[in-house]
Amino acid sequence: MAELRTVFTAALLSAAVACAGGVRLPAPALDAAPATGTQTVVLAGGCFWCTEAVFEELKGVTGVVSGYAGGKAADAHYEMVSSGATGHAESIQITFRPADISYGKILQVFFSVAHDPTSLDRQGPDWGKQYRSAIFYQGEEQKKVAEAYIRQLTEAKVLPKAIVTQVVPLNGFYPAEAYHQDFVKNNPDHPYVVVNARPKLAKLHHEFPELLKKGK
């Protein structure tokens, strides 16, 4: 059984690399100004297990927290969000050093690898408003860069369908339960991880090797 699982996993990852062929999405023509210290960005693009795993591998990223954003409730937990009643989306809060990786580069990876920005309220097997595509901006610069990048990709017609990613202000971020944090790292052989997360990581390694942390 273990040998069959290994063969199955290897086949999935090989297929992911093959699908990753071709030209990756262009980098943003407009990027945020260089800065010192650290900054944060909150993104939603389907199940946070997958998006968290992608961004944890990037150099310059010092931390990624899975959580919930975009809802009207004053608090959020998994059962509430999964019901769709609160309006939150499964999201990740990325802390990064702009001196090592820019906000624009993070958006490039978000649109190229982490999720499908043309899929409305659905990513892979997960569907509902809680799996929508969104950029929760903090400040006018993040908003300006995100909107400019969406216009750039739309005008270049590099995607087969229209981008549905929302660009909205961040009105709160609520960390998810402890068992959701580092889920892919802690559960590498979980069936959902093998089918949905690991192909994204394979594509990341194929398309953005220069952005990976050493040893990744």
Side-chain angles (χ1 to χ4, degrees), residues 5 12 29 42 45 48 60 69 77 81 95 99 102 115-116 123 142 149 154-155 175 177 186-187 193-195 209 215:
R5 183 173 59 190
L12 279 173
V42 175
F48 44 31
H77 58 73
V81 173
T95 302
S102 70
H115 83 309
D116 178 1
Q123 293 293 320
Q142 285 193 357
Y149 191 38
T154 300
E155 292 170 1
E177 295 77 1
N186 294 330
N187 303 273
V193 170
V194 172
V195 174

Side-chain angles (χ1 to χ4, degrees), residues 1 18 28 55 59 78 81 104 112 124-125 129 134 146 155 164 175 182 196-197:
M1 181 63 72
F55 287 99
K59 64 183 179 183
Y78 188 69
V81 173
S112 298
K129 290 287 186 181
E155 292 170 1
V164 296
D182 296 316
N196 297 288

